[in-house]
Structure formats: structure tokens, C-alpha cells
Amino acid sequence: MSSRKDRKDAARVVREQIAREKRRKRTLWTSIGAVLVLVIAGLIGWSVYRSQKSGSFTAPPGANPPGTGIVLGEGPVTIDLYEDYLCPVCKQFQQTSGATVNQLISEGKAKVVFHPVAFLNRFSTTEYSTRSSAAAGCAAKGGKFKEFTDALFAKQPAEGSAGLSNDELIDIGAGVGLNRDDFGSCVKDGTYKPWTEHVTDDASKAGVTGTPTIKVNGKDVEDRSPEGITAAVAAAGK
């Protein structure tokens, strides 16, 4: 009798162990399934966020169709000009070749797509590259992009500094004929900061790694002198 009871108890223990193992496995697979659902949902959410983030910008008036730069002129040859308002070499380029670029525009030989990128934020304590580029978008909205750009380079702050304050940017804008209230609100609100991010991201994707970068009909121009740019435009126009 005792042996039969022992066998029954042993069988019961085995059944209970099997039942516990089945419950453990069900719990495990349920947990794995829940984790997978959360991971998939997270990936979908991140994808949606990134797509919304990359598309959530408004380009200022005068921008090209993809919203990656401001178009000046209507010539048959396209000059893509990538500059950062904090870049000293960009200022030098404007001083030496800016008049030549303006002449090519005025003579109807070229149109310029000016891409105000924010590559040099690390050289400012206030993300001046982003703030100045966004302010240039506000200037484009007010129809004074070129005038504002020229004034920004003329008053370029030193690398490593805080850069010009928003109030100083607004003073420059008012000085080139922009409405102080409208322009000031645009600058202080950071209206075109998302656009600046879009311009900068697109430049990086296009292989632009430094400023100034000049492309004529999509080809890099190494000789950034007035003669070099004029020659590149002439060759592209043939």
C-alpha cells in the first residue's frame, strides 16, 4: 500500500512539475511577445517621428523647390554656394569673389543658390551659426536676403565667441531696410531654425564637408578666385 501511495505521490509531483513548466513557458512567450510588440511600436514611432521632424520645416520665400537654399538670379548656369556666417574663409570669399558672383547674376549668366549652413555651432557658445542662418531666412521673408547676408559677413563675430546677439541681428536687419517688428519677431521666435537644420542636413548628404563650398552645375570649383569662378561658369554655359 505504501509503495502504491508513493508511486501516486511521485506521479502527482511529476504532473505538477509539468504543469508548472507549461505555465512558465506560456509566461515566457507572452513576455517575449509583449516585448516584441513594444519594440515594433517603438521602431514605428521613431520612424514616424523622424519623418515628421525631417519634413516639419517651412522654407522662406525665394527658396528653391526642395527648400535647401535661397535662389538669386535666373541665369542658365547654377552656382551652389554653401557658406556659414561664422566661417572666416567664407567672409574672405565674399570680399574677393562676391562682386564677381553678383556680376554673373546681374549679367544673366548664372543663378546662385545660397545655402546658409550651420556647420560651426561648436565654435560659438550660443549656436550662432544656426541663429544667423535662421535670421537670414527671416530676411528672405522680408525680401532682403542678399543685403542681410552681406551685412552679416561685414560684421562677422570671432570664432569661439557668443556671436552676435538676437538684438544685434535685428539691428542689422533693420539697418538694411527690414521691418524691425516683423523681422524681430521672426528672429526671436526662431521661425526658420527647422529650415536651417534641413539646409544643413541636405548639405551633409550632398557631401559638403566644409565652407565655403562652391559648385557650378553640380561640380566642385576648387579655384574660388574671381577668375576661377568666371571660367567655371563660362565652361558650364557652353
Side-chain angles (χ1 to χ4, degrees):
M1 292 293 292
S2 176
S3 177
R4 187 179 303 119
K5 183 177 182 300
D6 290 343
R7 287 197 297 271
K8 287 182 178 179
D9 288 344
R12 179 175 55 77
V13 170
V14 171
R15 288 196 299 273
E16 289 176 351
Q17 288 177 338
I18 292 173
R20 283 196 298 270
E21 182 64 20
K22 287 182 178 179
R23 287 195 298 271
R24 189 186 69 81
K25 288 183 177 180
R26 283 198 299 270
T27 301
L28 177 63
W29 283 111
T30 299
S31 299
I32 292 174
V35 170
L36 287 174
V37 168
L38 289 173
V39 169
I40 292 171
L43 290 173
I44 292 173
W46 175 250
S47 176
V48 170
Y49 168 76
R50 287 299 297 172
S51 65
Q52 290 176 341
K53 186 174 185 291
S54 64
S56 60
F57 73 93
T58 299
N64 58 359
T68 60
I70 302 298
V71 180
L72 305 172
E74 300 178 348
V77 175
T78 299
I79 301 174
D80 284 287
L81 179 56
Y82 298 84
E83 292 189 302
D84 188 308
Y85 289 117
L86 191 59
C87 164
V89 182
C90 296
K91 178 179 180 178
Q92 293 172 9
F93 171 79
Q94 289 292 337
Q95 291 173 335
T96 59
S97 299
T100 297
V101 172
N102 292 342
Q103 184 176 355
L104 290 168
I105 294 172
S106 64
E107 291 178 351
K109 294 179 179 179
K111 71 175 180 181
V112 173
V113 182
F114 190 101
H115 308 266
V117 298
F119 283 172
L120 301 180
N121 275 329
R122 65 188 184 280
F123 293 113
S124 164
T125 58
T126 63
E127 295 192 337
Y128 176 73
S129 293
T130 289
R131 291 191 299 107
S132 56
S133 175
C138 296
K141 181 181 179 182
K144 297 286 185 179
F145 176 82
K146 184 63 170 60
E147 294 86 345
F148 185 71
T149 287
D150 290 345
L152 276 189
F153 278 122
K155 298 185 179 181
Q156 185 183 74
E159 286 184 321
S161 69
L164 302 175
S165 67
N166 284 345
D167 286 340
E168 288 174 314
L169 292 174
I170 293 167
D171 286 341
I172 291 173
V176 299
L178 288 162
N179 179 279
R180 179 179 288 275
D181 291 337
D182 293 343
F183 178 69
S185 295
C186 184
V187 171
K188 290 180 178 179
D189 291 344
T191 301
Y192 290 110
K193 283 186 176 180
W195 171 68
T196 291
E197 181 179 351
H198 172 69
V199 172
T200 304
D201 286 347
D202 180 80
S204 296
K205 291 175 183 177
V208 177
T209 58
T211 54
T213 290
I214 297 92
K215 296 177 181 285
V216 172
N217 280 3
K219 295 182 178 180
D220 287 331
V221 177
E222 298 299 331
D223 183 357
R224 300 194 293 255
S225 68
E227 296 78 15
I229 293 173
T230 300
V233 170
K238 292 181 178 178

